[in-house]
Amino acid sequence: MLLSAERWRELVQLRDGMGDDDPVFESRKGGCLSRVQVWNIVRKGASRADIERNISPHWMRHAHASHALDRGAPVHLIKDTLGHATLATTSQYSMRGRGIRVHVTFPFRIPPVSVTRS
């Protein structure tokens, strides 16, 4: 997903004081969400949206990459967002048809950010 510079600065400010390994979404106890908690959140969201298909965090990750490539996002940005080691891995998304699952690692990885504050 491409963001405007202004939106990116707003997001970086929200992370102010957070480390690279701090969770983006915290559990009720203040730690990282477990894999099961993430699955439950995704399932409930799909149910609320009346999506009958089996949706998983992996499916959402794959859909993000596929849709971003379909809409012309630079493959190197998608590579960094997904945490892939090589462009070859990310480029496979553009060669696969819809509904085909590929093995990728969960959870998402947010690339480090450096922004000059004014």
Side-chain angles (χ1 to χ4, degrees):
M1 171 170 56
L2 298 177
L3 300 173
S4 68
E6 179 183 345
R7 184 70 58 221
W8 185 251
R9 283 190 293 274
E10 290 172 2
L11 290 172
V12 169
Q13 286 177 351
L14 290 172
R15 287 189 50 87
D16 191 30
M18 295 176 69
D20 289 342
D21 294 329
D22 289 339
V24 175
F25 303 105
E26 292 184 342
S27 69
R28 289 182 182 154
K29 295 180 181 178
C32 294
L33 293 171
S34 73
R35 184 177 180 152
V36 172
Q37 288 171 309
V38 172
W39 269 87
N40 287 334
I41 290 167
V42 169
R43 280 192 203 131
K44 286 178 185 176
S47 176
R48 286 184 195 157
D50 291 327
I51 299 173
E52 295 178 12
R53 179 180 172 162
N54 287 331
I55 303 296
S56 67
H58 173 265
W59 182 90
M60 292 178 66
R61 177 183 169 92
H62 177 76
H64 157 69
S66 297
H67 290 286
L69 283 170
D70 289 349
R71 286 168 176 77
V75 70
H76 71 280
L77 291 180
I78 299 167
K79 172 194 159 293
D80 291 344
T81 301
L82 297 177
H84 290 162
T86 67
L87 281 174
T89 303
T90 310
S91 296
Q92 290 178 10
Y93 283 99
S94 63
M95 295 179 239
R96 296 186 186 272
R98 300 253 187 248
I100 297 175
R101 293 181 173 240
V102 293
H103 177 74
V104 290
T105 305
F106 184 78
F108 297 116
R109 187 178 140 272
I110 298 176
V113 177
S114 62
V115 173
T116 306
R117 295 180 190 233
S118 49

